Amino acid sequence: MSSQTSDPQATIAMSPRPGERFTSLPEREWRDAFFALTTDVRAAVATDMSRAELEAFLDRLDPDEITDVLGYVDESTRETLLDTLDSARREKVDFLLSFDPESAAGVMNLDYVTVDADRSFEAVTERVRRFEERTGRTPTIFVTENDVLLGELPGAALSTADPETDAITDYVRETPSVRYDRDDEEVLAVFRRNSERTVAVLDEDDDVLGVIYASDLLGLIGEATGERLYEFTGVAEEESVLDGPAVKIRRRYRWLVLNLGTAFVAAAVVGLFESTIAAVAILAAYMPVVAGMGGNAGTQSMAVTVRGISLGQVSLATGKRVIANEAVAGAVNGLITGALVAVIATAFSYGEFGVLLGAVIGVSMVANLVIAGFFGALMPLTLDRLGIDPATSATIFITTATDVLGFLVFLGLARAVLI
């Protein structure tokens, strides 16, 4: 791809006419460029294109891809474009449009054939040949017996099996399946639990309805990752880089107000030690160090725990080991970073405090990183158990714990040791 299109999302997204910018690309690049865009930018491109441009674009796409594009245009445009398709593609697109785009059926495609378990290799080969001749693509071969899915027949078996002595059931491998109405997250979970490249989509009667390939899920994984990133930072998933200030303010201020409340809690704790800080002014210089290290360590623990929750690896009932491991890791990291800070603090304040100030800061660092590891693992597990998305809210509680408890330990030790 030329340098002109090396970053299509950035150039198209920032264009005042994204459809015009998109159609300026060579037509052979349209498909790859369009499906590399985010959902918001795809919608902007599709709605900005003329019907003639959309018709030319759809002519290059498969039925499942056409379905995706039509999901971004209004009903009148959709009907007009459907009328331009040949009858075979129109039938497939109508079929796919009847499903929720965020379900298994909305992700699947129709590149499959089903064969009975008692069919010969010759008959299966002929069935595959006819499909390839009609579509130009190689299908997944699903084998059924009495209308029950047995699994997938690898295409390689058609050339390696001995048709005189082997049956196709000798080569069938079990294939995971999912109901057509299951949502995207469940489809992703099925792929995570299995190493196969394909998942069969079944209807209410357990008949094969379609197939989902691992490559079909790349977009879902990217969107899921993006959603978690948005949640993690307290930004609404639907917020676009092109949104105006009013939209951004409306979608973010609640998070900032909540964070402001927790900041006042930490400030109240610091206020309890006002006389200590006044007597030992140098403590104010090290307070951000203790709080910042605790917050960063807590965020690291939270990120690992949330990932474990999303993958189904851990829950509150089984999380004792995770919490203990994070607390121990916090203690060791606290010793390493605390020792470094203690040396620096002692070097700068030895004449006034000797090694005492360094010792206070070092011990406080160890304590706060243990706190960070403990709450960084505990809070996501607890919130998940309560049915609250930990990626959205855990970070607020964790930073509150590291700030409040970290200041209590640091300033409390300083009062006891230095005054």
Side-chain angles (χ1 to χ4, degrees), residues 137-199:
R137 296 184 300 276
T138 302
T140 295
I141 308 168
F142 289 125
V143 180
T144 62
E145 187 172 39
N146 298 323
D147 295 327
V148 176
L149 177 66
L150 296 182
E152 177 186 351
L153 177 67
L158 299 179
S159 58
T160 59
D162 184 345
E164 300 296 328
T165 59
D166 295 341
I168 63 175
T169 51
D170 296 334
Y171 293 86
V172 170
R173 64 187 183 196
E174 186 176 354
T175 302
S177 62
V178 64
R179 273 276 299 267
Y180 75 95
D181 53 356
R182 297 301 187 255
D183 61 26
D184 291 347
E185 286 297 326
E186 187 164 337
V187 176
L188 287 171
V190 171
F191 270 91
R192 290 187 183 110
R193 292 194 299 267
N194 300 275
S195 58
E196 288 81 358
R197 293 189 309 107
T198 59
V199 166

Short mmCIF file of all heavy atoms in Angstrom, two decimals, residues 137-199:
data_model
loop_
_atom_site.label_atom_id
_atom_site.label_comp_id
_atom_site.label_asym_id
_atom_site.label_seq_id
_atom_site.Cartn_x
_atom_site.Cartn_y
_atom_site.Cartn_z
N ARG A 137 -14.20 -19.37 -3.28
CA ARG A 137 -13.63 -19.54 -1.94
C ARG A 137 -13.72 -21.00 -1.51
O ARG A 137 -14.59 -21.74 -1.96
CB ARG A 137 -14.35 -18.65 -0.91
CG ARG A 137 -14.18 -17.17 -1.20
CD ARG A 137 -14.82 -16.33 -0.11
NE ARG A 137 -16.24 -16.59 0.01
CZ ARG A 137 -17.18 -16.02 -0.75
NH1 ARG A 137 -16.82 -15.19 -1.73
NH2 ARG A 137 -18.44 -16.29 -0.57
N THR A 138 -12.80 -21.41 -0.63
CA THR A 138 -12.79 -22.77 -0.12
C THR A 138 -13.66 -22.85 1.14
O THR A 138 -13.44 -22.07 2.08
CB THR A 138 -11.36 -23.22 0.23
OG1 THR A 138 -10.55 -23.11 -0.95
CG2 THR A 138 -11.35 -24.65 0.73
N PRO A 139 -14.62 -23.76 1.19
CA PRO A 139 -15.53 -23.80 2.33
C PRO A 139 -15.00 -24.65 3.48
O PRO A 139 -14.13 -25.52 3.29
CB PRO A 139 -16.78 -24.45 1.74
CG PRO A 139 -16.22 -25.44 0.75
CD PRO A 139 -15.01 -24.75 0.15
N THR A 140 -15.52 -24.40 4.66
CA THR A 140 -15.35 -25.33 5.78
C THR A 140 -16.33 -26.47 5.57
O THR A 140 -17.49 -26.25 5.19
CB THR A 140 -15.63 -24.62 7.11
OG1 THR A 140 -14.65 -23.60 7.31
CG2 THR A 140 -15.59 -25.60 8.28
N ILE A 141 -15.89 -27.69 5.85
CA ILE A 141 -16.74 -28.87 5.63
C ILE A 141 -17.24 -29.37 6.99
O ILE A 141 -16.45 -29.86 7.81
CB ILE A 141 -15.97 -29.99 4.91
CG1 ILE A 141 -15.31 -29.45 3.63
CG2 ILE A 141 -16.90 -31.15 4.60
CD1 ILE A 141 -14.30 -30.41 3.02
N PHE A 142 -18.54 -29.23 7.23
CA PHE A 142 -19.13 -29.74 8.46
C PHE A 142 -19.80 -31.08 8.16
O PHE A 142 -20.53 -31.22 7.17
CB PHE A 142 -20.16 -28.77 9.02
CG PHE A 142 -19.57 -27.51 9.60
CD1 PHE A 142 -19.98 -26.26 9.16
CD2 PHE A 142 -18.59 -27.59 10.58
CE1 PHE A 142 -19.44 -25.11 9.69
CE2 PHE A 142 -18.03 -26.43 11.11
CZ PHE A 142 -18.45 -25.20 10.68
N VAL A 143 -19.56 -32.04 9.05
CA VAL A 143 -20.11 -33.37 8.89
C VAL A 143 -21.24 -33.57 9.89
O VAL A 143 -21.08 -33.27 11.09
CB VAL A 143 -19.03 -34.45 9.10
CG1 VAL A 143 -19.63 -35.84 8.94
CG2 VAL A 143 -17.88 -34.24 8.11
N THR A 144 -22.39 -34.03 9.42
CA THR A 144 -23.54 -34.26 10.30
C THR A 144 -24.00 -35.70 10.20
O THR A 144 -23.77 -36.39 9.19
CB THR A 144 -24.71 -33.33 9.93
OG1 THR A 144 -25.13 -33.61 8.58
CG2 THR A 144 -24.31 -31.87 10.03
N GLU A 145 -24.67 -36.15 11.24
CA GLU A 145 -25.26 -37.49 11.27
C GLU A 145 -26.63 -37.37 11.93
O GLU A 145 -26.74 -36.92 13.07
CB GLU A 145 -24.39 -38.47 12.05
CG GLU A 145 -24.88 -39.90 11.98
CD GLU A 145 -23.89 -40.86 12.61
OE1 GLU A 145 -23.30 -40.50 13.66
OE2 GLU A 145 -23.70 -41.98 12.07
N ASN A 146 -27.67 -37.72 11.18
CA ASN A 146 -29.05 -37.54 11.65
C ASN A 146 -29.29 -36.09 12.08
O ASN A 146 -29.89 -35.82 13.11
CB ASN A 146 -29.35 -38.48 12.82
CG ASN A 146 -29.24 -39.94 12.43
OD1 ASN A 146 -29.60 -40.32 11.31
ND2 ASN A 146 -28.73 -40.77 13.34
N ASP A 147 -28.77 -35.17 11.26
CA ASP A 147 -28.92 -33.72 11.47
C ASP A 147 -28.21 -33.21 12.71
O ASP A 147 -28.45 -32.09 13.16
CB ASP A 147 -30.40 -33.33 11.55
CG ASP A 147 -31.11 -33.57 10.23
OD1 ASP A 147 -30.47 -33.40 9.18
OD2 ASP A 147 -32.31 -33.91 10.26
N VAL A 148 -27.31 -34.01 13.30
CA VAL A 148 -26.53 -33.58 14.46
C VAL A 148 -25.09 -33.34 14.00
O VAL A 148 -24.49 -34.19 13.33
CB VAL A 148 -26.55 -34.64 15.58
CG1 VAL A 148 -25.64 -34.21 16.73
CG2 VAL A 148 -27.97 -34.86 16.08
N LEU A 149 -24.54 -32.19 14.38
CA LEU A 149 -23.18 -31.85 13.98
C LEU A 149 -22.17 -32.76 14.67
O LEU A 149 -22.12 -32.84 15.89
CB LEU A 149 -22.88 -30.39 14.33
CG LEU A 149 -21.46 -29.89 14.04
CD1 LEU A 149 -21.18 -29.88 12.55
CD2 LEU A 149 -21.24 -28.50 14.63
N LEU A 150 -21.35 -33.45 13.86
CA LEU A 150 -20.28 -34.28 14.41
C LEU A 150 -18.98 -33.49 14.54
O LEU A 150 -18.21 -33.71 15.47
CB LEU A 150 -20.05 -35.50 13.52
CG LEU A 150 -21.19 -36.50 13.38
CD1 LEU A 150 -20.75 -37.68 12.50
CD2 LEU A 150 -21.64 -37.00 14.75
N GLY A 151 -18.73 -32.61 13.59
CA GLY A 151 -17.49 -31.84 13.62
C GLY A 151 -17.09 -31.41 12.23
O GLY A 151 -17.89 -31.42 11.29
N GLU A 152 -15.83 -31.04 12.09
CA GLU A 152 -15.30 -30.52 10.83
C GLU A 152 -14.41 -31.55 10.15
O GLU A 152 -13.61 -32.23 10.82
CB GLU A 152 -14.51 -29.23 11.08
CG GLU A 152 -13.87 -28.65 9.84
CD GLU A 152 -12.97 -27.45 10.16
OE1 GLU A 152 -12.98 -26.98 11.31
OE2 GLU A 152 -12.23 -27.02 9.25
N LEU A 153 -14.54 -31.67 8.85
CA LEU A 153 -13.66 -32.52 8.06
C LEU A 153 -12.56 -31.65 7.47
O LEU A 153 -12.84 -30.76 6.65
CB LEU A 153 -14.43 -33.21 6.94
CG LEU A 153 -13.59 -34.09 5.99
CD1 LEU A 153 -13.05 -35.31 6.74
CD2 LEU A 153 -14.42 -34.52 4.78
N PRO A 154 -11.30 -31.83 7.89
CA PRO A 154 -10.22 -31.01 7.32
C PRO A 154 -10.13 -31.20 5.81
O PRO A 154 -10.24 -32.33 5.30
CB PRO A 154 -8.97 -31.54 8.03
CG PRO A 154 -9.48 -32.20 9.27
CD PRO A 154 -10.81 -32.77 8.91
N GLY A 155 -9.91 -30.11 5.10
CA GLY A 155 -9.82 -30.21 3.65
C GLY A 155 -8.70 -31.12 3.18
O GLY A 155 -8.82 -31.77 2.14
N ALA A 156 -7.62 -31.19 3.99
CA ALA A 156 -6.48 -32.05 3.61
C ALA A 156 -6.87 -33.51 3.52
O ALA A 156 -6.25 -34.28 2.78
CB ALA A 156 -5.35 -31.87 4.61
N ALA A 157 -7.92 -33.90 4.24
CA ALA A 157 -8.33 -35.31 4.23
C ALA A 157 -8.81 -35.74 2.85
O ALA A 157 -8.73 -36.93 2.50
CB ALA A 157 -9.43 -35.53 5.27
N LEU A 158 -9.31 -34.81 2.07
CA LEU A 158 -9.81 -35.16 0.74
C LEU A 158 -8.70 -35.65 -0.19
O LEU A 158 -8.96 -36.40 -1.13
CB LEU A 158 -10.51 -33.94 0.11
CG LEU A 158 -11.72 -33.39 0.87
CD1 LEU A 158 -12.30 -32.19 0.15
CD2 LEU A 158 -12.78 -34.48 1.05
N SER A 159 -7.47 -35.23 0.09
CA SER A 159 -6.36 -35.65 -0.76
C SER A 159 -5.51 -36.74 -0.13
O SER A 159 -4.78 -37.44 -0.84
CB SER A 159 -5.47 -34.44 -1.09
OG SER A 159 -4.98 -33.84 0.09
N THR A 160 -5.58 -36.90 1.19
CA THR A 160 -4.72 -37.89 1.86
C THR A 160 -5.44 -39.19 2.21
O THR A 160 -4.79 -40.21 2.41
CB THR A 160 -4.15 -37.29 3.15
OG1 THR A 160 -5.22 -36.92 4.04
CG2 THR A 160 -3.29 -36.07 2.86
N ALA A 161 -6.77 -39.16 2.30
CA ALA A 161 -7.50 -40.36 2.71
C ALA A 161 -7.55 -41.38 1.58
O ALA A 161 -7.47 -41.03 0.39
CB ALA A 161 -8.90 -39.99 3.15
N ASP A 162 -7.69 -42.64 1.95
CA ASP A 162 -7.88 -43.72 0.98
C ASP A 162 -9.38 -43.96 0.85
O ASP A 162 -10.02 -44.51 1.76
CB ASP A 162 -7.19 -44.99 1.48
CG ASP A 162 -7.26 -46.12 0.46
OD1 ASP A 162 -8.06 -46.02 -0.48
OD2 ASP A 162 -6.54 -47.12 0.63
N PRO A 163 -9.99 -43.55 -0.25
CA PRO A 163 -11.45 -43.67 -0.38
C PRO A 163 -11.95 -45.12 -0.38
O PRO A 163 -13.13 -45.36 -0.17
CB PRO A 163 -11.73 -42.98 -1.72
CG PRO A 163 -10.45 -43.03 -2.47
CD PRO A 163 -9.37 -42.96 -1.45
N GLU A 164 -11.05 -46.07 -0.62
CA GLU A 164 -11.46 -47.47 -0.65
C GLU A 164 -11.64 -48.04 0.76
O GLU A 164 -12.50 -48.90 0.98
CB GLU A 164 -10.42 -48.30 -1.41
CG GLU A 164 -10.22 -47.88 -2.87
CD GLU A 164 -11.49 -48.09 -3.69
OE1 GLU A 164 -12.25 -49.05 -3.39
OE2 GLU A 164 -11.72 -47.30 -4.62
N THR A 165 -10.83 -47.56 1.69
CA THR A 165 -10.85 -48.16 3.04
C THR A 165 -11.27 -47.19 4.14
O THR A 165 -11.68 -47.62 5.22
CB THR A 165 -9.46 -48.72 3.39
OG1 THR A 165 -8.50 -47.64 3.34
CG2 THR A 165 -9.06 -49.80 2.41
N ASP A 166 -11.15 -45.89 3.89
CA ASP A 166 -11.44 -44.90 4.94
C ASP A 166 -12.84 -44.33 4.80
O ASP A 166 -13.39 -44.23 3.69
CB ASP A 166 -10.43 -43.74 4.88
CG ASP A 166 -9.01 -44.19 5.19
OD1 ASP A 166 -8.87 -45.27 5.79
OD2 ASP A 166 -8.06 -43.46 4.83
N ALA A 167 -13.41 -43.94 5.94
CA ALA A 167 -14.68 -43.21 5.96
C ALA A 167 -14.41 -41.78 6.41
O ALA A 167 -13.41 -41.52 7.12
CB ALA A 167 -15.66 -43.89 6.92
N ILE A 168 -15.28 -40.87 6.02
CA ILE A 168 -15.00 -39.48 6.39
C ILE A 168 -15.06 -39.28 7.90
O ILE A 168 -14.41 -38.39 8.44
CB ILE A 168 -15.97 -38.50 5.67
CG1 ILE A 168 -17.41 -38.74 6.08
CG2 ILE A 168 -15.81 -38.59 4.17
CD1 ILE A 168 -18.37 -37.71 5.49
N THR A 169 -15.81 -40.15 8.60
CA THR A 169 -15.87 -40.03 10.06
C THR A 169 -14.53 -40.35 10.72
O THR A 169 -14.30 -39.97 11.87
CB THR A 169 -16.95 -40.95 10.63
OG1 THR A 169 -16.76 -42.28 10.12
CG2 THR A 169 -18.34 -40.45 10.26
N ASP A 170 -13.64 -41.04 9.98
CA ASP A 170 -12.32 -41.33 10.54
C ASP A 170 -11.47 -40.06 10.68
O ASP A 170 -10.49 -40.04 11.43
CB ASP A 170 -11.57 -42.32 9.64
CG ASP A 170 -12.24 -43.68 9.57
OD1 ASP A 170 -12.95 -44.03 10.55
OD2 ASP A 170 -12.08 -44.38 8.55
N TYR A 171 -11.84 -39.01 9.95
CA TYR A 171 -11.03 -37.79 9.91
C TYR A 171 -11.72 -36.59 10.56
O TYR A 171 -11.12 -35.51 10.65
CB TYR A 171 -10.68 -37.45 8.46
CG TYR A 171 -9.76 -38.45 7.81
CD1 TYR A 171 -10.27 -39.59 7.19
CD2 TYR A 171 -8.38 -38.26 7.83
CE1 TYR A 171 -9.42 -40.52 6.60
CE2 TYR A 171 -7.53 -39.20 7.24
CZ TYR A 171 -8.06 -40.33 6.63
OH TYR A 171 -7.21 -41.26 6.05
N VAL A 172 -12.95 -36.79 10.99
CA VAL A 172 -13.69 -35.67 11.56
C VAL A 172 -13.06 -35.26 12.89
O VAL A 172 -12.75 -36.11 13.73
CB VAL A 172 -15.17 -36.04 11.77
CG1 VAL A 172 -15.88 -34.96 12.61
CG2 VAL A 172 -15.87 -36.20 10.44
N ARG A 173 -12.90 -33.95 13.08
CA ARG A 173 -12.42 -33.45 14.36
C ARG A 173 -13.51 -32.60 15.00
O ARG A 173 -14.27 -31.91 14.32
CB ARG A 173 -11.14 -32.62 14.17
CG ARG A 173 -11.31 -31.35 13.34
CD ARG A 173 -9.98 -30.69 13.06
NE ARG A 173 -10.14 -29.44 12.33
CZ ARG A 173 -9.16 -28.82 11.69
NH1 ARG A 173 -7.94 -29.35 11.71
NH2 ARG A 173 -9.39 -27.69 11.05
N GLU A 174 -13.58 -32.71 16.30
CA GLU A 174 -14.64 -32.01 17.03
C GLU A 174 -14.51 -30.49 16.82
O GLU A 174 -13.41 -29.93 16.85
CB GLU A 174 -14.55 -32.33 18.52
CG GLU A 174 -15.69 -31.76 19.33
CD GLU A 174 -15.61 -32.18 20.79
OE1 GLU A 174 -14.73 -33.00 21.12
OE2 GLU A 174 -16.42 -31.69 21.59
N THR A 175 -15.64 -29.86 16.61
CA THR A 175 -15.67 -28.42 16.37
C THR A 175 -16.55 -27.74 17.42
O THR A 175 -17.68 -28.17 17.64
CB THR A 175 -16.25 -28.12 14.97
OG1 THR A 175 -15.45 -28.77 13.99
CG2 THR A 175 -16.26 -26.63 14.70
N PRO A 176 -16.05 -26.71 18.10
CA PRO A 176 -16.89 -25.98 19.04
C PRO A 176 -18.03 -25.28 18.31
O PRO A 176 -17.92 -24.96 17.12
CB PRO A 176 -15.92 -24.97 19.67
CG PRO A 176 -14.83 -24.80 18.69
CD PRO A 176 -14.69 -26.13 18.00
N SER A 177 -19.12 -25.06 19.01
CA SER A 177 -20.27 -24.42 18.40
C SER A 177 -20.86 -23.38 19.34
O SER A 177 -20.58 -23.39 20.54
CB SER A 177 -21.34 -25.45 18.04
OG SER A 177 -21.81 -26.12 19.20
N VAL A 178 -21.67 -22.50 18.78
CA VAL A 178 -22.31 -21.46 19.57
C VAL A 178 -23.67 -21.17 18.94
O VAL A 178 -23.83 -21.26 17.72
CB VAL A 178 -21.42 -20.18 19.61
CG1 VAL A 178 -21.27 -19.58 18.24
CG2 VAL A 178 -21.99 -19.16 20.58
N ARG A 179 -24.66 -20.86 19.78
CA ARG A 179 -25.98 -20.50 19.27
C ARG A 179 -25.92 -19.16 18.55
O ARG A 179 -25.18 -18.26 18.94
CB ARG A 179 -26.98 -20.42 20.42
CG ARG A 179 -27.65 -21.75 20.79
CD ARG A 179 -28.83 -22.02 19.89
NE ARG A 179 -29.84 -20.96 20.03
CZ ARG A 179 -30.86 -21.02 20.87
NH1 ARG A 179 -31.01 -22.07 21.67
NH2 ARG A 179 -31.74 -20.04 20.92
N TYR A 180 -26.75 -19.03 17.52
CA TYR A 180 -26.71 -17.83 16.67
C TYR A 180 -27.03 -16.54 17.42
O TYR A 180 -26.60 -15.46 17.02
CB TYR A 180 -27.70 -17.98 15.52
CG TYR A 180 -29.15 -17.80 15.92
CD1 TYR A 180 -29.77 -16.57 15.78
CD2 TYR A 180 -29.88 -18.86 16.46
CE1 TYR A 180 -31.10 -16.39 16.16
CE2 TYR A 180 -31.19 -18.69 16.83
CZ TYR A 180 -31.81 -17.46 16.69
OH TYR A 180 -33.12 -17.30 17.08
N ASP A 181 -27.78 -16.64 18.55
CA ASP A 181 -28.21 -15.43 19.24
C ASP A 181 -27.30 -15.05 20.41
O ASP A 181 -27.60 -14.12 21.16
CB ASP A 181 -29.64 -15.59 19.75
CG ASP A 181 -29.82 -16.85 20.61
OD1 ASP A 181 -28.86 -17.63 20.75
OD2 ASP A 181 -30.94 -17.04 21.14
N ARG A 182 -26.17 -15.76 20.58
CA ARG A 182 -25.24 -15.41 21.65
C ARG A 182 -24.47 -14.14 21.28
O ARG A 182 -24.17 -13.90 20.12
CB ARG A 182 -24.26 -16.57 21.91
CG ARG A 182 -24.94 -17.84 22.39
CD ARG A 182 -25.71 -17.60 23.67
NE ARG A 182 -26.23 -18.81 24.24
CZ ARG A 182 -27.50 -19.21 24.20
NH1 ARG A 182 -28.39 -18.42 23.61
NH2 ARG A 182 -27.89 -20.32 24.75
N ASP A 183 -24.12 -13.35 22.31
CA ASP A 183 -23.48 -12.07 22.03
C ASP A 183 -21.99 -12.24 21.73
O ASP A 183 -21.42 -13.33 21.86
CB ASP A 183 -23.70 -11.07 23.16
CG ASP A 183 -23.11 -11.53 24.50
OD1 ASP A 183 -22.15 -12.33 24.48
OD2 ASP A 183 -23.61 -11.10 25.55
N ASP A 184 -21.38 -11.11 21.34
CA ASP A 184 -19.97 -11.14 20.92
C ASP A 184 -19.05 -11.69 22.00
O ASP A 184 -18.10 -12.43 21.71
CB ASP A 184 -19.51 -9.72 20.55
CG ASP A 184 -20.18 -9.22 19.28
OD1 ASP A 184 -20.78 -10.06 18.58
OD2 ASP A 184 -20.08 -8.02 19.00
N GLU A 185 -19.30 -11.30 23.26
CA GLU A 185 -18.42 -11.72 24.35
C GLU A 185 -18.42 -13.23 24.50
O GLU A 185 -17.39 -13.84 24.77
CB GLU A 185 -18.85 -11.05 25.66
CG GLU A 185 -18.49 -9.58 25.76
CD GLU A 185 -17.00 -9.35 25.74
OE1 GLU A 185 -16.25 -10.20 26.26
OE2 GLU A 185 -16.56 -8.32 25.18
N GLU A 186 -19.60 -13.86 24.33
CA GLU A 186 -19.65 -15.32 24.44
C GLU A 186 -18.93 -15.99 23.28
O GLU A 186 -18.29 -17.04 23.46
CB GLU A 186 -21.11 -15.78 24.51
CG GLU A 186 -21.24 -17.27 24.79
CD GLU A 186 -22.64 -17.67 25.23
OE1 GLU A 186 -23.38 -16.80 25.74
OE2 GLU A 186 -22.99 -18.86 25.07
N VAL A 187 -19.02 -15.40 22.10
CA VAL A 187 -18.29 -15.94 20.95
C VAL A 187 -16.79 -15.89 21.22
O VAL A 187 -16.06 -16.87 20.98
CB VAL A 187 -18.64 -15.16 19.67
CG1 VAL A 187 -17.80 -15.66 18.50
CG2 VAL A 187 -20.12 -15.29 19.34
N LEU A 188 -16.31 -14.77 21.73
CA LEU A 188 -14.90 -14.65 22.07
C LEU A 188 -14.50 -15.67 23.13
O LEU A 188 -13.42 -16.27 23.06
CB LEU A 188 -14.60 -13.23 22.58
CG LEU A 188 -14.60 -12.12 21.53
CD1 LEU A 188 -14.52 -10.76 22.21
CD2 LEU A 188 -13.45 -12.28 20.56
N ALA A 189 -15.39 -15.90 24.10
CA ALA A 189 -15.09 -16.86 25.17
C ALA A 189 -14.95 -18.27 24.59
O ALA A 189 -14.10 -19.05 25.05
CB ALA A 189 -16.18 -16.82 26.23
N VAL A 190 -15.77 -18.62 23.60
CA VAL A 190 -15.68 -19.95 22.98
C VAL A 190 -14.33 -20.12 22.31
O VAL A 190 -13.67 -21.16 22.44
CB VAL A 190 -16.82 -20.14 21.96
CG1 VAL A 190 -16.60 -21.42 21.14
CG2 VAL A 190 -18.17 -20.22 22.67
N PHE A 191 -13.86 -19.09 21.61
CA PHE A 191 -12.54 -19.18 20.96
C PHE A 191 -11.42 -19.25 21.98
O PHE A 191 -10.42 -19.93 21.76
CB PHE A 191 -12.33 -17.99 20.02
CG PHE A 191 -12.81 -18.24 18.62
CD1 PHE A 191 -14.10 -17.91 18.25
CD2 PHE A 191 -11.97 -18.81 17.68
CE1 PHE A 191 -14.55 -18.13 16.96
CE2 PHE A 191 -12.40 -19.04 16.39
CZ PHE A 191 -13.70 -18.70 16.02
N ARG A 192 -11.57 -18.55 23.09
CA ARG A 192 -10.52 -18.60 24.11
C ARG A 192 -10.41 -19.99 24.72
O ARG A 192 -9.33 -20.42 25.13
CB ARG A 192 -10.81 -17.57 25.21
CG ARG A 192 -10.64 -16.12 24.77
CD ARG A 192 -10.77 -15.18 25.94
NE ARG A 192 -10.68 -13.78 25.55
CZ ARG A 192 -11.68 -12.92 25.56
NH1 ARG A 192 -12.87 -13.33 25.98
NH2 ARG A 192 -11.52 -11.68 25.19
N ARG A 193 -11.53 -20.70 24.82
CA ARG A 193 -11.51 -22.03 25.44
C ARG A 193 -11.06 -23.11 24.47
O ARG A 193 -10.83 -24.25 24.87
CB ARG A 193 -12.91 -22.38 25.96
CG ARG A 193 -13.37 -21.54 27.14
CD ARG A 193 -14.58 -22.17 27.80
NE ARG A 193 -15.71 -22.29 26.90
CZ ARG A 193 -16.68 -21.38 26.77
NH1 ARG A 193 -16.64 -20.25 27.48
NH2 ARG A 193 -17.69 -21.57 25.94
N ASN A 194 -10.97 -22.79 23.20
CA ASN A 194 -10.63 -23.79 22.20
C ASN A 194 -9.52 -23.26 21.29
O ASN A 194 -9.43 -22.06 21.05
CB ASN A 194 -11.86 -24.13 21.33
CG ASN A 194 -13.00 -24.69 22.15
OD1 ASN A 194 -13.06 -25.87 22.43
ND2 ASN A 194 -13.93 -23.82 22.56
N SER A 195 -8.72 -24.18 20.80
CA SER A 195 -7.61 -23.78 19.93
C SER A 195 -7.97 -23.89 18.45
O SER A 195 -7.16 -23.57 17.60
CB SER A 195 -6.39 -24.68 20.21
OG SER A 195 -6.73 -26.04 19.99
N GLU A 196 -9.21 -24.34 18.14
CA GLU A 196 -9.60 -24.50 16.74
C GLU A 196 -9.72 -23.15 16.04
O GLU A 196 -9.96 -22.13 16.67
CB GLU A 196 -10.94 -25.25 16.64
CG GLU A 196 -10.86 -26.73 16.98
CD GLU A 196 -10.87 -26.99 18.47
OE1 GLU A 196 -10.91 -26.02 19.24
OE2 GLU A 196 -10.85 -28.17 18.85
N ARG A 197 -9.59 -23.19 14.73
CA ARG A 197 -9.69 -21.96 13.94
C ARG A 197 -11.15 -21.59 13.66
O ARG A 197 -11.43 -20.47 13.26
CB ARG A 197 -8.98 -22.12 12.60
CG ARG A 197 -7.48 -22.28 12.67
CD ARG A 197 -6.87 -22.21 11.28
NE ARG A 197 -7.54 -23.11 10.34
CZ ARG A 197 -8.35 -22.72 9.37
NH1 ARG A 197 -8.60 -21.46 9.20
NH2 ARG A 197 -8.90 -23.61 8.56
N THR A 198 -12.07 -22.54 13.81
CA THR A 198 -13.45 -22.29 13.40
C THR A 198 -14.42 -22.64 14.52
O THR A 198 -14.15 -23.50 15.36
CB THR A 198 -13.82 -23.13 12.16
OG1 THR A 198 -13.64 -24.52 12.46
CG2 THR A 198 -12.97 -22.76 10.98
N VAL A 199 -15.56 -21.96 14.49
CA VAL A 199 -16.67 -22.25 15.38
C VAL A 199 -17.93 -22.32 14.52
O VAL A 199 -18.18 -21.44 13.69
CB VAL A 199 -16.84 -21.18 16.47
CG1 VAL A 199 -18.17 -21.30 17.19
CG2 VAL A 199 -15.71 -21.29 17.49
#
